[in-house]
Amino acid sequence: MLRALRFVGLGARPVLVSVFLGAAGALCALGLAAVSAWLITRAWQMPPVLYLSVAVTSTRAFGISRALFRYAERLATHDTALDAMAVAREKIYRVLASGPPAYSVGLSRSRLLARTADDVDEIGNALIRGLIPMTVGAITSVAAVAVTAFVSPLSAVILAVALIVSGGLAPWLAARGAALAFEQSARAREDVAQETTALLWHGPELVIAGRRRAALDRLHAADRRVAAATDRGLRRQVAATAATPFALAVSVTAAALIAVDLATGVSGSLAEVSSTDTRFTPMLFGVLVLLPLSSFETTGPLTEAGIAWLKGRQAAARVMDLVDGAHRPDRAPGSGPDTAESDADPVVDPAPAVLTADRLEWGRDRPLGPSSGLDLRLAPGERVVVTGPSGCGKSTLLLTLGGLLDPLSGTVTATRADDGAVVPPTRAACYFAEEAHLFSTSVRENLLVARGDASDKQIRAALAEVGLTEWVDGLPEGLDTDLTGGGSALSGGQRRRLLLARALLHPAPIVLLDEPAEHLDAGDARQMIERICAAGPDSLFGPDRAVVLVTHQHGDAGHDAGARLLPLAPESAGDR
């Protein structure tokens, strides 16, 4: 947790301000209880009203101050936590963007969402409901024991033990119960997230493949495992929660018995105790009995604080593990993306380049490609069409050629065509995914993602090349029209054409396209593949840019346009 707080740059000052305001509100509540007890018992003696004016004014002051300090503490605490959460998400994205591309590309969407959403929220909750309440409770408990010690040292000892049980032992037991539930349900929660993500993002594919019911059954089974583990942990948490009222009852009862004993020890009966007796007075009796009631107001919520702190610690461990993975120097030099370029966003070198693969084997968990490795040389203006059935490693090959995944063996290098200087693949090639993200912003902004300095003329030219001029002209605000919902605002064909326009605008000299004609009509898809693979001025990408294109059903169109075919057979997926 401390590493995570340092990672987000959380300073001591905002935390101390929140603790000060919270402690001030709690001490005002403590003072209100003490003064109210004194006022009630003093008023019972019916002294002149002026004798009570200071106590009455103090009671009002404590009551108003308690509300003001608590309100200010809520504002300060939430401002600190929300700011820390926003900074945490920004820094996580920056670390992943500047780290090894192979690491971030290998992360599943469900895991990335869980780390940047739920886990960051848990860290914020640990601040709001864990760290600050525990610190305020400790300060208030010490103050309550100190005040009680002036009246009765024995009562102070009993109160201290009760507060330790309520504010220390009970939260610890609750946290242990929560830890048990979290540990047993961690894998099940990951399964729930993974299955939910698959159902949301790949629902149509699952229906077509007849696997939607199986996915739903796996989701229900994982959800039942989460519920069972939660129930087991809650039984311990309930037992821990019962410790606070038990400790409160013991403390108040002991205080009352000690007060009675002190009163009877003075003159035999409480009614006969003189108000001038310095050893014990009715006012002190009231303070001794009512003060513990107020002191437990800050320790009671600490059971939930312990659970929140535990959740925050575990979430912080997962977040920092994600961050550490982006800094892990575990790649052999020259085997993948240049480590010197991983500290900042890669700057694309637009000069024509040659891409070379030497005895390349690629894959995530098993080697793909020919058993002897793939040899490939791609010069400026050349086109290569990669074909093969699903699962044979076409997309993974593009990721490896683009420097986003490390080769399992062999090398991938890029060199400038003019002087032969070596360029990291991430600076010479750009991979355009089949399901690349479209943002819920304007059409222009979705294209400026590829090239931030592109003019409206260049944007419209790219849209015209992919056949979207009429569509853009028909939008209410043209290029400034927001795509509400991102990719869901477009048809499959429009989405594919817009992503292809993004590739046209990008300055990379080596273009890696994954299924650029998917979701287009058969005739339009063939025409689009032919234009991508054509050489010379009729080509979409011109004579100076090299293109590697993946398709599983339009390879013949690329070949007819003059592109080289690179077929990948099912047995290349590891059955050697």
Side-chain angles (χ1 to χ4, degrees):
M1 175 63 79
L2 294 178
R3 283 194 63 212
L5 296 181
R6 286 195 297 267
F7 172 72
V8 302
L10 181 64
R13 182 176 179 179
V15 177
L16 292 177
V17 169
S18 299
V19 169
F20 169 77
L21 294 173
L27 292 176
C28 284
L30 202 65
L32 178 63
V35 174
S36 298
W38 186 93
L39 180 61
I40 292 171
T41 51
R42 185 72 175 101
W44 162 68
Q45 296 176 333
M46 294 183 293
V49 176
L50 290 178
Y51 288 8
L52 306 177
S53 59
V54 174
V56 171
T57 303
S58 299
T59 301
R60 292 175 178 174
F62 280 130
I64 295 173
S65 299
R66 178 182 66 170
L68 289 177
F69 279 124
R70 285 185 174 178
Y71 180 70
E73 182 264 335
R74 295 293 189 275
L75 292 179
T77 302
H78 283 76
D79 180 70
T80 300
L82 292 174
D83 183 66
M85 291 158 62
V87 172
R89 291 190 174 97
E90 178 185 355
K91 287 196 171 185
I92 291 172
Y93 294 141
R94 288 188 178 276
V95 166
L96 292 176
S98 62
Y103 178 70
S104 55
V105 169
L107 295 173
S108 66
R109 289 183 177 182
S110 58
R111 182 185 177 193
L112 187 59
L113 283 176
R115 296 298 88 83
T116 58
D118 295 340
D119 286 342
V120 172
D121 286 345
E122 292 294 352
I123 295 175
N125 286 335
L127 280 175
I128 297 174
R129 301 174 182 173
L131 177 62
I132 293 175
M134 288 189 291
T135 307
V136 171
I139 295 173
T140 309
S141 298
V142 171
V145 172
V147 172
T148 306
F150 281 105
V151 181
S152 170
L154 180 58
S155 294
V157 171
I158 296 175
L159 178 61
V161 173
L163 289 174
I164 290 174
V165 171
S166 175
L169 181 60
W172 180 79
L173 290 175
R176 291 291 298 171
L180 177 64
F182 298 153
E183 291 171 2
Q184 294 181 350
S185 65
R187 179 58 186 169
R189 290 180 187 277
E190 291 283 350
D191 292 343
V192 168
Q194 184 173 353
E195 295 299 337
T196 302
T197 302
L199 285 166
L200 289 175
W201 286 332
H202 303 290
E205 293 91 332
L206 291 172
V207 172
I208 293 174
R211 298 173 59 184
R212 182 171 179 269
R213 173 52 55 187
L216 285 172
D217 291 340
R218 290 195 299 270
L219 176 60
H220 291 321
D223 194 53
R224 285 193 295 270
R225 292 197 299 273
V226 172
T230 302
D231 289 342
R232 287 191 294 270
L234 284 177
R235 284 194 287 270
R236 294 192 178 189
Q237 294 177 35
V238 169
T241 303
T244 293
F246 177 76
L248 172 62
V250 170
S251 178
V252 173
T253 302
L257 292 176
I258 292 172
V260 171
D261 182 69
L262 288 174
T264 55
V266 172
S267 58
S269 68
L270 181 61
E272 296 176 356
V273 174
S274 171
S275 61
T276 61
D277 194 321
T278 58
R279 295 171 54 197
F280 196 79
T281 65
M283 286 73 74
L284 295 180
F285 176 87
V287 171
L288 196 62
V289 173
L290 295 183
L291 193 63
L293 292 175
S294 178
S295 62
F296 280 91
E297 287 184 8
T298 56
T299 61
L302 294 189
T303 299
E304 295 182 0
I307 298 174
W309 183 254
L310 175 71
K311 289 182 178 180
R313 285 180 55 198
Q314 295 182 341
R318 292 189 292 268
V319 168
M320 296 313 298
D321 181 66
L322 180 71
V323 171
D324 291 341
H327 292 299
R328 211 167 280 151
D330 53 1
R331 294 169 299 137
S335 64
D338 192 316
T339 55
E341 298 296 329
S342 64
D343 294 333
D345 292 342
V347 178
V348 175
D349 186 348
V354 177
L355 185 69
T356 304
D358 183 23
R359 302 182 64 84
L360 175 65
E361 287 189 340
W362 65 93
R364 296 180 186 270
D365 53 358
R366 56 195 173 115
L368 302 174
S371 57
S372 59
L374 173 67
D375 294 321
L376 176 68
R377 187 181 185 277
L378 187 67
E382 288 191 294
R383 307 289 188 261
V384 172
V385 177
V386 182
T387 62
S390 298
C392 67
K394 301 188 299 296
S395 298
T396 309
L397 172 61
L398 290 190
L399 290 170
T400 307
L401 293 176
L404 300 178
L405 285 180
D406 297 336
L408 297 183
S409 67
T411 60
V412 176
T413 57
T415 56
R416 290 196 187 96
D418 52 359
D419 57 8
V422 177
V423 181
T426 52
R427 294 188 56 182
C430 189
Y431 168 71
F432 296 91
E434 178 183 2
E435 296 295 336
H437 189 71
L438 290 178
F439 300 91
S440 296
T441 184
S442 67
V443 176
R444 178 187 287 104
E445 293 293 337
N446 269 286
L447 293 176
L448 291 178
V449 167
R451 183 176 174 182
D453 62 350
S455 64
D456 282 3
K457 181 179 180 181
Q458 292 171 318
I459 291 175
R460 289 190 174 276
L463 292 172
E465 290 287 352
V466 298
L468 287 180
T469 298
E470 184 177 351
W471 171 72
V472 171
D473 291 340
L475 295 176
E477 300 180 43
L479 292 176
D480 293 319
T481 302
D482 285 340
L483 301 179
T484 305
S488 62
L490 306 176
S491 68
Q494 289 171 339
R495 174 189 175 93
R496 190 65 55 195
R497 292 177 187 271
L498 192 61
L499 292 175
L500 187 57
R502 184 185 285 178
L504 289 176
L505 286 173
H506 199 281
I510 301 171
V511 181
L512 309 173
L513 297 174
D514 196 349
E515 299 287 0
E518 195 73 9
H519 302 301
L520 296 181
D521 294 339
D524 291 341
R526 184 177 184 86
Q527 182 182 10
M528 186 67 72
I529 295 294
E530 290 175 348
R531 292 192 61 200
I532 293 173
C533 295
D538 294 334
S539 173
L540 275 180
F541 290 93
D544 294 329
R545 303 177 75 182
V547 178
V548 180
L549 180 151
V550 158
T551 181
H552 68 278
Q553 58 181 344
H554 301 295
D556 56 338
H559 184 262
D560 293 342
R564 282 188 288 160
L565 284 181
L566 178 59
L568 298 180
E571 57 268 18
S572 69
D575 299 331
R576 307 177 189 172

